[in-house]
């Protein structure tokens, strides 16, 4: 499932294919010239005949090499203009390369990096990151085929790089976050009959406890006792009882400062409940735990790189089902905070789950700041589609730090407005709050954030990421194969390391 990546100064010449970088408008590099010589001028010949290969960004040409060559194939990779290649573009390039190998049967690559470039080691590392991210696949529910029928997949990439030590180091810094992304994608891709709240909680423990993350699981009884009436209402129609999982990473035991808190919506399946969703497309609602998956992935990444920081992650895990026991529109429930909520639509369930999870983490941990992630509203997808994640932040510095981290990892954020008008809009008529806006469906992502703001304590730094459009995609992107994306894991890992870790 994952690609094994390595770096060294000298080639091994035992791979299926050699990858050669070409730059638009530049002479072929020394590496290319020497391989061309080794292949008896073959590459020059091909380029002479095929003028359409210009080294344009992402262009790929796979050549079959003559019998006596050290590789079966040469892959010409267009890297675009030399001075435009930065870390982000390098990652995309790695992704495009992997995509072009689909159904090629090539299992191993020797990648000749362009050593003429300054920072070539760092670029090689980022190409490797892109290769890794794009090579993810989710296949545990496919039955095994016979070996000769099995499609061959890329599994080994060796980089030849002048500063291979630097490349190796840069890649190693990135790989814990990649592992976190893969865990988040796995969780989102799991079917809801397998990943129901209790199974999910057990899986979190199995994944994170061995890495030194402290895990606490609250069951229904405990949540009843402490008054989580909002989260419990959402789960009460399901035969799978809800859970809340608290994950603590104490990477800086010497520091007594307040921890950072991350909260995730973990609705393992969202039918809408009694306010039932239409049938078409309902299967996609297995991804309604994407926020929680990102938090779990983040905790894995922090623990894998032994991050010097104290973080608490909280996920509310519930299944939203219609049944004779289900909560109904018009029910009034009491949340952990003590505020009452009138349920006007049982499909606006995520905000109820978050309300209790947010109140709990603020009450128990008094964090320095809290960021929540949730596939909260269809309105967010209408507003920003699948490219940008709408983010509501009550503090300008926090916003800048988050946006910058997202720029670096290519998880783009767009700031959305928090306004008193919408907070007010979510006040109840016969209760403290209500889970639907009084003004209808307009600005649905903003009114949802307005609801959440009722559960944020005074002066608490807070950001809410509505990842409804970014947690799940139905067509491939350069570094993200379709379905669960793991959106948020790399961004938040970067955000934490840049702003909150002492080095
Ligand atoms: N999980 C959905 C939001 C969603 C929709 C996520 C599509 C990803 C893709 C959420 O629980 C929901 O149903 N929201 C409602 C809120 C409405 C009833 C106020 C919505 O967006 O329609
Ligand atoms: Mn819903
Ligand atoms: Zn939902």
């Amino acid at each position: 499932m994952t690609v094994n990546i390595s770096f060294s100064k000298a080639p091994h010449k035992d791979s299926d294919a050699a990858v050669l970088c070409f730059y638009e408008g530049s002479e072929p590099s020394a590496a290319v010239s020497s391989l061309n010589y080794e292949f008896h001028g073959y590459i020059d010949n091909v380029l002479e005949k095929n003028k359409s290969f210009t080294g344009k960004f992402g262009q790929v040409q796979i050549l079959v090499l003559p019998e006596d060559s050290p590789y079966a194939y040469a892959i010409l990779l267009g890297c675009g203009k030399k001075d435009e290649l930065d870390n982000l573009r390098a990652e995309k390039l790695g992704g495009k390369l992997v995509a072009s190998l689909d159904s090629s049967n090539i299992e191993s690559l020797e990648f000749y990096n362009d050593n003429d470039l300054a920072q070539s080691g760092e670029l090689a590392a980022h190409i490797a990151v892109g290769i890794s991210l794009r090579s993810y696949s989710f296949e545990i529910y496919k039955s095994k085929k016979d070996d000769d029928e099995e499609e061959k997949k890329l599994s080994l990439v060796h980089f030849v790089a002048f500063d291979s030590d630097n490349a190796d180091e840069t890649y190693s810094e990135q790989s814990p976050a990649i592992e976190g992304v893969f865990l988040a994608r796995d969780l989102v891709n799991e079917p809801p009959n397998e990943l129901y709240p209790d199974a999910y909680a057990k899986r979190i423990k199995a994944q994170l406890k061995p890495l030194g993350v402290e895990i606490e699981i609250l069951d229904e009884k405990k949540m009843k006792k402490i008054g989580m009436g909002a989260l419990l209402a959402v789960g009460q129609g399901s035969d799978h009882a809800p859970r809340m999982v608290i994950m603590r990473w104490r990477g800086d035991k010497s520091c007594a400062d307040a921890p950072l808190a991350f909260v995730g919506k973990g609705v393992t399946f969202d039918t809408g409940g009694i306010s039932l969703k239409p049938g078409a497309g309902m299967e996609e609602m297995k991804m309604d735990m994407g926020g929680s998956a990102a938090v779990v992935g983040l905790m894995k990444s922090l623990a894998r790189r032994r991050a010097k920081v104290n973080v608490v992650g909280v996920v509310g895990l519930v299944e939203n089902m219609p049944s004779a026991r289900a909560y109904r529109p018009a029910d009034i429930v009491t949340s952990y905070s003590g505020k009452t909520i009138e349920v006007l639509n049982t499909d606006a369930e995520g905000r109820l789950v978050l309300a209790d999870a947010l109140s709990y983490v603020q009450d128990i941990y008094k964090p320095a700041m809290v960021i929540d992630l949730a596939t909260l509203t269809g309105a967010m997808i209408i507003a920003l589609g699948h490219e940008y994640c709408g983010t509501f932040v009550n503090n300008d510095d926090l916003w800048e730090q988050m946006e910058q981290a997202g720029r670096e990892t290519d998880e783009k954020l767009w700031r959305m407005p928090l306004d008193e008008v919408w907070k007010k809009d979510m006040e109840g008529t016969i209760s403290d709050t209500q889970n639907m806006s009084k003004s209808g469906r307009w600005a649905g992502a903003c009114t949802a954030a307005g609801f959440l703001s009722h559960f944020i304590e005074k002066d608490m730094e807070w950001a809410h990421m509505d990842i409804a459009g970014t947690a799940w995609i139905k067509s491939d992107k350069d570094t993200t194969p379709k379905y669960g994306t793991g959106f948020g894991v790399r961004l938040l890992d970067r955000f934490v390391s840049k702003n909150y870790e002492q080095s």
Side-chain angles (χ1 to χ4, degrees), residues 434-470:
Q434 55 186 44
N435 79 337
M436 284 274 289
S437 152
K438 287 191 274 283
S439 52
R441 63 196 186 91
W442 310 121
C446 303
T447 53
F451 176 84
L452 296 180
S453 71
H454 283 279
F455 301 88
I456 299 299
E457 288 165 18
K458 194 171 170 298
D459 297 330
M460 179 60 63
E461 275 185 37
W462 167 57
H464 157 58
M465 300 166 68
D466 191 336
I467 59 170
T470 47

Side-chain angles (χ1 to χ4, degrees), residues 18 77 84 116 132 149 169 305 320 369 411 439 460 469 488:
L77 178 65
E84 285 176 5
D116 312 345
S132 273
E149 281 176 43
E169 198 185 313
R305 60 182 185 78
N320 188 18
M369 55 113 234
E411 291 158 290
S439 52
M460 179 60 63

Side-chain angles (χ1 to χ4, degrees), residues 265 270 272 277 288 320 346-350:
K265 168 180 173 180
D270 182 12
K277 286 182 183 296
D288 212 15
N320 188 18
T346 63
D347 197 13
E349 85 298 339

Side-chain angles (χ1 to χ4, degrees), residues 242-263:
R243 296 284 185 272
M244 180 169 287
V245 183
I246 298 110
M247 299 159 269
R248 288 183 294 261
W249 171 249
R250 300 223 299 136
D252 187 4
K253 295 214 165 75
S254 68
C255 167
D257 289 355
L260 310 176
F262 296 92
V263 169

